[in-house]
Amino acid sequence: MSLPKPELPEVPELPKPELPHLPNIPSLPKPELPSLPKVELPSIPELPKPELPTIPKPELPEVPELPKPELPHLPDIVSLPKPELPSLPKAELPPLPELPKPELPSLPKVELPSLPELPKPELPAISKPELPKVPELPHLLDFPKPTLPVVPTIPKDMSVSTTTP
């Protein structure tokens, strides 16, 4: 099943717009600029360098060198024996008393009201849609199956000698 193609209305061809005729404008010659006289700047007189008074270096008082403090001679420390700690008895916990199991009160049975039975709704029958017919694919060329080259098998028990003559 194929749908009909919608017909498109014909679009009328519009005439191309015409631009109004522009008059020819003559190109103007480049203006000649008058040459200007060179301007000389007046020379600036050099100013004398100001003389700055020299400041004498301040003299710092000499700091006397302090002697290094001497550490008193400490006797060689001999390794001390490890102190023996008294062994303490293991603490025993008293046994826990057995507690009675709690009794739960019985709960009353709750009855739910019965639900009314509803009629099944009637659904309208739906027609099976028609599927469009798909054209068959063109037959592809039959290519020969590729063949693999034969690889010789190498025997497993080959001992390789590593001795040199």
Side-chain angles (χ1 to χ4, degrees):
M1 181 179 151
S2 63
L3 298 173
K5 289 185 179 177
E7 290 184 27
L8 296 174
E10 283 190 30
V11 179
E13 198 171 304
L14 298 173
K16 291 182 181 178
E18 289 186 24
L19 297 173
H21 183 70
L22 296 174
N24 285 337
I25 300 171
S27 61
L28 297 173
K30 286 187 179 178
E32 289 185 24
L33 298 174
S35 62
L36 298 173
K38 285 188 176 179
V39 179
E40 287 190 28
L41 296 173
S43 63
I44 301 169
E46 278 193 36
L47 296 173
K49 289 185 180 177
E51 287 188 23
L52 299 173
T54 57
I55 302 171
K57 257 188 178 177
E59 287 187 25
L60 296 172
E62 279 191 34
V63 179
E65 205 170 298
L66 298 173
K68 290 184 181 177
E70 287 187 25
L71 295 174
H73 181 69
L74 297 174
D76 291 334
I77 299 173
V78 181
S79 61
L80 299 173
K82 288 185 181 177
E84 288 185 28
L85 298 174
S87 61
L88 299 173
K90 282 188 177 179
E92 289 186 29
L93 296 174
L96 295 173
E98 278 194 36
L99 299 173
K101 289 185 179 178
E103 287 186 29
L104 297 174
S106 61
L107 297 173
K109 200 171 192 178
V110 178
E111 287 187 32
L112 295 173
S114 61
L115 296 173
E117 201 167 307
L118 298 173
K120 288 186 179 178
E122 288 184 30
L123 299 172
I126 299 172
S127 63
K128 193 173 185 181
E130 287 185 34
L131 298 174
K133 199 169 196 174
V134 179
E136 285 189 24
L137 291 173
H139 183 68
L140 298 175
L141 299 173
D142 288 331
F143 289 108
K145 289 186 179 178
T147 57
L148 297 174
V150 178
V151 179
T153 57
I154 300 172
K156 290 183 185 176
D157 195 301
M158 281 191 71
S159 58
V160 180
S161 64
T162 57
T163 58
T164 57

